[in-house]
Amino acid sequence: MEHTLFVIGKLFTTALALVIAYQAYRGYQRHHTQLLLYVAAGFALVGLGGLLEGVLFELLQVSIFEAGFVAALVTAAGMLSILYALYAPIHKDSGRPFDKRPLRVVPGSKPLLFGLPSFSIV
């Protein structure tokens, strides 16, 4: 491959998007809030959209226009999923993360990522 830095950048942003998607999915499992599932799916699609472009172009020899178009569609689907999660109507029993109560650090909680503490609604 003659554009190594570009590939490294794509892989790095894909990895970041998938880490965010994983953390959102963990939040969904913990709080049973369906909107977090939409956030997780959205970030997964955004991350995979960029990776898909490279795979289509480099490995499957699809034209850059077609690969970019498919990647843009997948990324747009991910953004629509995140947008839905942000603007969806919130039901009374939809889950605690959308309450207006302040967050606090949970004593003795296991760090989620890179040593960052867990948070809880008070």
Side-chain angles (χ1 to χ4, degrees):
M1 288 184 209
E2 49 199 42
H3 32 274
T4 307
L5 286 177
F6 180 71
V7 171
I8 290 171
K10 285 282 189 183
L11 290 174
F12 181 70
T13 55
T14 298
L16 285 177
L18 292 178
V19 167
I20 294 169
Y22 174 70
Q23 292 299 327
Y25 181 72
R26 284 184 61 199
Y28 163 73
Q29 287 181 320
R30 232 176 317 180
H31 300 289
H32 304 290
T33 304
Q34 190 174 12
L35 294 179
L36 284 175
L37 192 58
Y38 286 104
V39 171
F43 273 104
L45 287 172
V46 166
L48 293 176
L51 185 65
L52 183 63
E53 180 181 14
V55 168
L56 289 174
F57 180 68
E58 293 289 338
L59 301 179
L60 301 178
Q61 303 299 316
V62 175
S63 76
I64 191 67
F65 171 76
E66 292 168 341
F69 181 72
V70 170
L73 288 178
V74 172
T75 302
M79 289 184 182
L80 284 173
S81 180
I82 295 168
L83 194 63
Y84 175 76
L86 293 174
Y87 287 103
I90 298 172
H91 304 292
K92 292 178 186 175
D93 56 350
S94 66
R96 294 178 59 167
F98 299 97
D99 290 343
K100 293 185 179 181
R101 294 177 283 179
L103 293 175
R104 66 176 175 82
V105 175
V106 178
S109 63
K110 181 177 137 188
L112 292 177
L113 179 67
F114 304 119
L116 298 174
S118 299
F119 290 94
S120 176
I121 307 290
V122 288

